[in-house]
Amino acid sequence: MGIMEDVNLVPQAVGDTGMVDLTMNVVERKTGGFSAGGGLSGNGMTNGALSGLVGSFAYSHRNVFGRNQKLNISLERGQVDSMFRINYTDPWIEGDDKRTSRSISIQNSRSPGSITHGFRRDDASLGHSHGGVTIGRLVAALDYSRPLRPKWSGTAGISFQQVGARDDHGHPNVVDMYGAPLTFSGRAYDDMLTGKLELVYTDSGDNGSSQLVLNTEQGVPIAPEWLFFNRTNIRARQGLKIGPVRCIASFSGGNVLGDLAPHEAFPIGGTNSVRGYDEGAVGSGRSCIVASGEISVPLVGPLEGALFADYGTDLGSGNTVPGDPAGVRGKPGSGYGYGAGIRVDSPLGPLRLEYAFNNNFARRFHFGIGYRN
């Protein structure tokens, strides 16, 4: 459970019965506390390294009501993005023999619209690279998760989202500077009520590891203006260790049927997509495929060196996004990148510093935390 500082068992004989009483003495850890920190936002770094700086403040409690239930309240704030989130988790619902967990969350976030609605490259000197558009997203969600069989787990949930766009002055926007719509409904915001199903397979061994994630979301149009769609995602990663050399192949893909708001299109390009490109610079489409291969070798201590290659495409679906924001901005719709980098193991996962070229011979540094897929 991770909430006990110390546990001692004291055996005591019960007369001449040959039986023993066990007395358990436990000391509970401090289960609640505040924390603060900082980091880098991938969205923010699209507008410059300093714009990517993010500060955070959080309160967490690991034993709410004395039942190992968890409460987290966090705030992150940067120059161009922010997020406030409240999450409550019951890791094992009382009376359930299937080890079902329940999670309730409320989140209010703001992020730059540069991935989809930034300036064209020939217009970048006219203003902010996020195109004067900020995407605001309010989400309330309820999820149930449980193990299904060894190495498999499943999640079912429901969420409500209200997503809208604002300009630099905080005023609602319905079109960007090129006249492309920012919402599907034509209003200042889009409403979505979605049901979610997710399956996760995870396996690890001495010679490698693998992961498969299948996810589908169905929009339920309770009101006429609410979005009606089906969104499907798949992510897969396979690792293989050959002596000191580690090879990783990864793949991700997705498709949306039905109503598609521009802010829900699949962005392609960037640190966790096709390296060598800015975030979203390859394209944004109704469909996408991104594939990657990496080879890494140990150097000194926790330091590793890596070679990698990525490829991504919107499968020709960019012009099916309302307003064709990728086509208006001259994004190619497909592209590849390759390069080299170093990895440093950390409690958060590998810290990655990478230098990549794309198929237009442009080059770019990337910094990331954790595996890219």
Side-chain angles (χ1 to χ4, degrees):
M1 295 173 65
I3 61 175
M4 298 301 174
E5 183 73 31
D6 189 28
V7 179
N8 287 318
L9 293 177
V10 181
Q12 294 179 325
V14 182
D16 297 327
T17 63
M19 302 179 67
V20 175
D21 285 340
L22 289 178
T23 301
M24 180 180 292
N25 299 316
V26 299
V27 178
E28 186 177 1
R29 289 178 177 172
K30 184 180 179 181
T31 55
F34 294 91
S35 62
L40 294 172
S41 163
N43 289 333
M45 289 183 69
T46 303
N47 305 311
L50 293 179
S51 298
L53 292 175
V54 175
S56 63
F57 181 79
Y59 171 79
S60 62
H61 199 293
R62 295 182 297 174
N63 193 24
V64 179
F65 308 126
R67 296 179 178 272
N68 201 33
Q69 299 169 5
K70 297 170 174 59
L71 174 67
N72 290 281
I73 303 173
S74 60
L75 172 65
E76 295 181 4
R77 182 76 189 210
Q79 292 190 44
V80 294
D81 52 4
S82 64
M83 182 182 68
F84 176 72
R85 179 179 173 86
I86 301 174
N87 180 262
Y88 167 78
T89 301
D90 185 349
W92 192 334
I93 298 174
E94 184 177 4
D96 179 80
D97 61 353
K98 304 296 184 181
R99 294 176 55 196
T100 303
S101 65
R102 175 175 55 222
S103 177
I104 303 171
S105 62
I106 299 174
Q107 178 176 305
N108 190 0
S109 64
R110 185 190 69 180
S111 60
S114 55
I115 291 180
T116 302
H117 297 286
F119 284 103
R120 291 197 304 259
R121 292 180 182 176
D122 54 356
D123 290 346
S125 62
L126 299 179
H128 301 297
S129 63
H130 59 79
V133 175
T134 299
I135 304 298
R137 190 181 297 265
L138 177 65
V139 183
L142 170 65
D143 291 323
Y144 289 88
S145 303
R146 52 159 291 195
L148 300 176
R149 53 183 304 177
K151 303 178 183 179
W152 286 90
S153 63
T155 299
I158 188 169
S159 68
F160 172 79
Q161 296 190 48
Q162 187 175 87
V163 188
R166 295 182 177 273
D167 61 21
D168 286 335
H169 304 290
H171 301 141
N173 254 3
V174 294
V175 295
D176 64 19
M177 81 289 291
Y178 301 117
L182 295 171
T183 62
F184 181 85
S185 63
R187 302 180 300 155
Y189 54 84
D190 288 319
D191 290 323
M192 295 175 282
L193 178 68
T194 60
K196 178 183 78 172
L197 289 175
E198 183 175 83
L199 288 174
V200 178
Y201 171 84
T202 304
D203 185 24
S204 61
D206 294 337
N207 295 321
S209 62
S210 59
Q211 184 182 59
L212 175 66
V213 180
L214 304 172
N215 177 285
T216 183
E217 295 177 290
Q218 178 63 53
V220 183
I222 291 181
E225 64 273 12
W226 290 17
L227 272 59
F228 180 42
F229 65 94
N230 179 267
R231 183 184 183 98
T232 304
N233 290 277
I234 179 173
R235 301 196 313 272
R237 185 176 70 240
Q238 177 65 57
L240 178 64
K241 196 169 183 181
I242 307 174
V245 179
R246 182 167 56 188
C247 305
I248 298 177
S250 61
F251 168 89
S252 64
N255 183 64
V256 177
L257 297 175
D259 300 341
L260 175 64
H263 50 74
E264 297 300 309
F266 293 102
I268 308 169
T271 301
N272 291 306
S273 181
V274 180
R275 287 162 286 191
Y277 282 92
D278 290 343
E279 301 297 321
V282 174
S284 53
R286 180 180 290 269
S287 305
C288 78
I289 288 177
V290 176
S292 175
E294 295 188 5
I295 298 176
S296 61
V297 295
L299 298 177
V300 179
L303 197 65
E304 290 184 342
L307 298 174
F308 58 83
D310 308 323
Y311 173 78
T313 175
D314 64 7
L315 299 173
S317 66
N319 58 5
T320 67
V321 179
D324 188 14
V328 168
R329 288 157 179 80
K331 297 181 180 181
S334 64
Y336 63 85
Y338 56 92
I342 57 175
R343 309 278 190 272
V344 180
D345 283 336
S346 78
L348 300 176
L351 305 179
R352 301 154 33 210
L353 179 62
E354 299 158 338
Y355 189 63
F357 298 82
N358 65 28
N359 49 290
N360 296 317
F361 304 105
R363 35 195 131 159
R364 181 176 174 83
F365 276 106
H366 295 274
F367 176 76
I369 300 176
Y371 293 108
R372 61 173 300 283
N373 186 16

